[in-house]
Amino acid sequence: MSNPRPITVITGASAGIGMALARVFARNGHELALVARREDRLHALADEIAATGARRPIVVAVDLLKIGAARLIGEALAAQGAEPQFVVNNAGFGLVGLASALDRDEQLQMIDLNVRVLTELSLAFTESLARHCGGLLNVGSMAGFLPGPGMAVYYATKAYVLSFTEAMHSELKPRGIRVAVLCPGPVLTEFAERAGLSRRSMGPSFLIKSADDVAEAGYRGLMDGRRTIVPGAINKLITVLIRIIPRRVVLGFVDYRQRRRRSARRS
């Protein structure tokens, strides 16, 4: 195949931040490949984007937890004469509860999706990202800056995403590839619902951002070549304070907040 056209691959595009990111990239002239399991939602979003006059996104309905998902995505794009210019790793989920009490298999699936799949897709297309002077945006969380009793496995996966992506920023920068990690605080999305987080348990309203605001911040930060993107001035300040405050104090505060969340879920 000669001269494949550049495309932006967005995983977890069927809802929440992923859907908002798809709209932002499309609005800024990027052709998209939408990736998720729920094919009906992907087609609905593709129709919405096409109705704006943009080229209709490629829909890739795939279970990312299946081994070889990156290969399947690459083949689907190649069949359409395209290859990645940007990869946005948004797919992931979290669970609230004590690690020892939550379903073990579901927690291992969380590690698989939040860590293994993200790593696979981050590395699978570096050659085409370099060819098109593109980039990689991994969706992390402010949780990546913290220990997380009450969501221990989820917080640990996001710590990996933060560390891995910051390292990839340095490794791929000489090749002209922009790499950034997007670390939002609380966002009202299906992700929060699956994690068992109610609006009441997510914290003060001034910390909560909309998926649209987070997506805009992520896009701007990636295009500006930033390494770590934390939407919201107060959230940025919190990530700075976390590095200064003694770890035992941070751990105690998170433990207290998570116990309150579990109490709110029961009430």
Side-chain angles (χ1 to χ4, degrees), residues 15-29:
I17 294 173
M19 182 178 286
L21 282 163
R23 291 173 177 142
V24 171
F25 273 85
R27 192 160 60 244
N28 284 275

Side-chain angles (χ1 to χ4, degrees), residues 44-264:
L45 179 58
D47 291 342
E48 174 194 318
I49 290 171
T52 68
R55 186 166 186 163
R56 191 180 193 279
I58 297 170
V59 169
V60 185
V62 62
D63 183 353
L64 292 173
L65 288 174
K66 291 186 176 179
I67 300 299
R71 175 181 55 79
L72 293 175
I73 293 169
E75 290 174 353
L77 298 185
Q80 298 286 330
E83 67 178 10
Q85 178 184 24
F86 292 93
V87 172
V88 180
N89 283 309
N90 169 74
F93 71 94
L95 297 169
V96 174
L98 300 177
S100 58
L102 290 171
D103 181 86
R104 187 183 308 163
D105 289 339
E106 195 167 11
Q107 291 184 90
L108 292 175
Q109 283 186 345
M110 192 198 315
I111 296 170
D112 205 24
L113 183 58
N114 295 8
V115 175
R116 183 191 64 78
V117 172
L118 177 139
T119 304
E120 179 184 15
L121 292 174
S122 294
L123 301 176
F125 303 110
T126 53
E127 295 304 319
S128 68
L129 301 189
R131 271 194 296 274
H132 297 288
C133 299
L136 170 67
L137 179 64
N138 287 335
V139 178
S141 169
M142 284 180 65
F145 294 90
L146 298 158
M151 289 184 76
V153 176
Y154 172 73
Y155 275 56
T157 65
K158 292 305 180 179
Y160 173 87
V161 173
L162 177 61
S163 176
F164 170 72
T165 309
E166 288 189 326
M168 291 298 291
H169 174 91
S170 293
E171 288 190 11
L172 296 180
K173 187 175 182 179
R175 301 180 64 184
I177 301 173
R178 286 160 281 186
V179 180
V181 57
L182 175 59
C183 299
V187 183
L188 288 171
T189 62
E190 280 188 7
F191 176 96
E193 292 176 11
R194 180 172 184 181
L197 299 176
S198 66
R199 168 63 185 82
R200 176 184 170 191
S201 69
M202 292 179 71
S205 59
F206 59 80
L207 295 179
I208 299 174
K209 298 294 178 184
S210 71
D212 291 340
D213 287 344
V214 169
E216 286 282 358
Y219 180 82
R220 288 196 309 270
L222 177 65
M223 295 304 156
D224 289 345
R226 291 170 57 192
R227 183 183 68 247
T228 306
I229 305 158
V230 181
I234 295 177
N235 288 340
K236 287 187 183 74
L237 177 61
I238 290 171
T239 63
V240 172
L241 293 175
I242 286 168
R243 300 171 190 266
I244 300 170
I245 298 171
R247 199 66 165 175
R248 60 180 176 78
V249 175
V250 174
L251 185 61
F253 176 76
V254 176
D255 187 30
Y256 168 74
R257 285 289 306 153
Q258 294 293 1
R259 282 189 280 109
R260 287 197 62 183
R261 277 181 175 176
R262 292 196 296 275
S263 177

